[in-house]
Amino acid sequence: MKKITAILIAVIMIVGVLSVATTAMDEEHVQAYFVDWYAYAGSFISQTGKCDELVQANMPVYEMHADPSADIVGFYGWAALKDGVTTKAFGVSLDGGTIQEQQLSREQGLPDRREEIGGVIGVSNAEGFWIVFYYTALGPGKHNAAFYAISEDGKGHELFNYDFTVIEKYPDQWLCNSAAPDSVAPGLWSNPLTAGQTCTLTFDATTSFSGFCMMFYANPEGATVDISLLDKNGKELEKLTHNQKGDGAPTLAFSKTYGPDTYTLKFVSVSAEKHIDPTAGEMDGWFVIGTADPGATAVTVGGDYTTNEYTRAGILAFLVGAVKESNAGENNNPGTADAAVIAIAAVACLALAGIVVAKKIK
């Protein structure tokens, strides 16, 4: 909780207030409330308001991480009770259990929102909240979280609640040294992209996986590649077609889970749109795979994508751990911000030079 609260404090600059608040579950006692921000696994999922409606309309799936401190969810907002009643604390109840009290946001070192909210909706007793909960102990399955404003008499007045699912996955497996961000570089090039160019990445998967997340660089207009998963004998298990626009780290899912074994990801360049550069004019499109210093998993590179002095031996990617068999009926995609996806984006941002990279590092 300390870690995610520190992140929140670091991000807060100016907090906006929307004039239309949300109707609480306990309409008899709650005058108004609003959920500004929603965070999961140490990163913000939304900072655009009405985050209660977001999670109610799109049931989240939360992963049980190797580090339980990442199994955390937080909501930042404000609430005001009716008739000027003072809110002494806020709280959360998991699966209908005891309400776990938490301090007002201003008592956690966050902004005092009384004056801010009062100036917008004309009440003087609004209080800010930063309510967090850990879900590790709940275990896999469907659960519910309910949030309360607690009045001075100790009674909890429900603001909102929502259902979520907890899943347990096999660990993600990095194909590079994720702890060495300074080593990141666009390293395997189809530039200019020519139809039929290939790149193969062969590796040993140590746990079950159901997809991969990899850093790609491409012209903003889009570059298309076919990506096949091959078994150790070279047999094609699945084939995906991916269109990459600009730089990013997409997560690509397979139709099933694959167990520990030797596999190859085969990339075949298909086509790319022309790029118009303001200074250089029309340019050919490109597609590039990100690299980094090698980690515990060795990757053998083949094919005719080109390299240069910046290319590293590791691939800036990780295999997405599959949902364990006990969760077989659950969705494998949280639809929020998986911590590992956030990590690869953070690592890769140091290499996001876009067209400058494509023009200068060939």
Side-chain angles (χ1 to χ4, degrees):
M1 183 168 127
K2 290 181 179 178
K3 179 180 179 181
I4 200 168
T5 301
I7 295 173
L8 181 67
I9 294 172
V11 171
I12 289 178
M13 297 297 288
I14 299 174
V15 180
V17 181
L18 299 184
S19 58
V20 179
T22 308
T23 300
M25 298 293 292
D26 185 354
E27 295 184 55
E28 181 180 354
H29 298 97
V30 179
Q31 177 171 336
Y33 83 96
F34 196 80
V35 186
D36 299 85
W37 294 351
Y38 163 45
Y40 160 61
S43 296
F44 292 106
I45 306 306
S46 175
Q47 295 174 263
T48 59
K50 296 190 176 182
C51 294
D52 53 329
E53 296 180 12
L54 173 66
V55 295
Q56 289 170 337
N58 305 278
M59 189 173 76
V61 178
Y62 299 142
E63 175 187 345
M64 293 178 67
H65 299 91
D67 179 1
S69 67
D71 297 349
I72 187 172
V73 176
F75 292 91
Y76 178 72
W78 58 268
L81 296 174
K82 288 184 176 179
D83 303 321
V85 173
T86 299
T87 298
K88 74 164 187 175
F90 289 94
V92 58
S93 169
L94 301 177
D95 291 341
T98 302
I99 298 176
Q100 305 167 26
E101 287 195 17
Q102 300 188 20
Q103 296 173 303
L104 308 177
S105 64
R106 59 187 169 86
E107 294 174 351
Q108 300 179 51
L110 298 174
D112 185 341
R113 307 197 67 181
R114 289 173 294 184
E115 182 177 350
E116 172 200 4
I117 306 303
V120 175
I121 65 172
V123 297
S124 59
N125 66 327
E127 288 282 2
F129 60 76
W130 172 232
I131 307 174
V132 303
F133 66 89
Y134 291 92
Y135 53 82
T136 309
L138 299 178
K142 184 178 178 181
H143 302 281
N144 179 269
F147 301 85
Y148 296 84
I150 301 171
S151 52
E152 288 188 310
D153 59 6
K155 293 182 179 179
H157 306 288
E158 186 173 348
L159 305 177
F160 72 99
N161 75 81
Y162 74 102
D163 293 329
F164 58 92
T165 299
V166 174
I167 61 172
E168 187 173 11
K169 292 171 51 181
Y170 291 99
D172 298 325
Q173 181 182 347
W174 283 88
L175 302 184
C176 67
N177 180 1
S178 63
D182 292 342
S183 74
V184 171
L188 300 172
W189 297 76
S190 179
N191 180 33
L193 186 147
T194 304
Q197 287 179 310
T198 64
C199 178
T200 59
L201 309 173
T202 302
F203 54 87
D204 290 331
T206 57
T207 61
S208 296
F209 65 98
S210 58
F212 66 96
C213 178
M214 186 175 293
M215 187 64 207
F216 297 142
Y217 305 85
N219 51 294
E221 296 76 13
T224 300
V225 294
D226 286 336
I227 307 172
S228 297
L229 179 68
L230 312 179
D231 67 13
K232 61 185 176 184
N233 298 314
K235 177 183 176 181
E236 185 176 85
L237 303 173
E238 292 202 32
K239 183 177 180 179
L240 308 172
T241 297
H242 176 68
N243 181 262
Q244 181 68 32
K245 293 184 177 182
D247 305 333
T251 298
L252 302 180
F254 296 126
S255 64
K256 57 180 289 187
T257 293
Y258 295 93
D261 209 336
T262 300
Y263 297 92
T264 295
L265 284 172
K266 180 180 180 180
F267 293 78
V268 180
S269 298
V270 176
S271 63
E273 301 296 327
K274 293 287 186 180
H275 176 66
I276 305 300
D277 180 77
T279 58
E282 186 177 88
M283 299 174 56
D284 291 324
W286 62 89
F287 177 80
V288 186
I289 296 172
T291 61
D293 283 347
T297 301
V299 180
T300 301
V301 179
D304 53 11
Y305 276 27
T306 59
T307 60
N308 56 28
E309 67 270 29
Y310 300 97
T311 304
R312 303 297 199 272
I315 303 302
L316 186 51
F318 61 85
L319 304 178
V320 177
V323 175
K324 291 188 176 181
E325 290 74 10
S326 59
N327 301 270
E330 304 298 348
N331 182 2
N332 190 28
N333 181 7
T336 51
D338 183 273
V341 176
I342 297 165
I344 199 171
V347 169
C349 71
L350 297 177
L352 292 181
I355 190 170
V356 175
V357 171
K359 289 166 63 177
K360 293 186 177 180
I361 308 178
K362 295 184 179 181

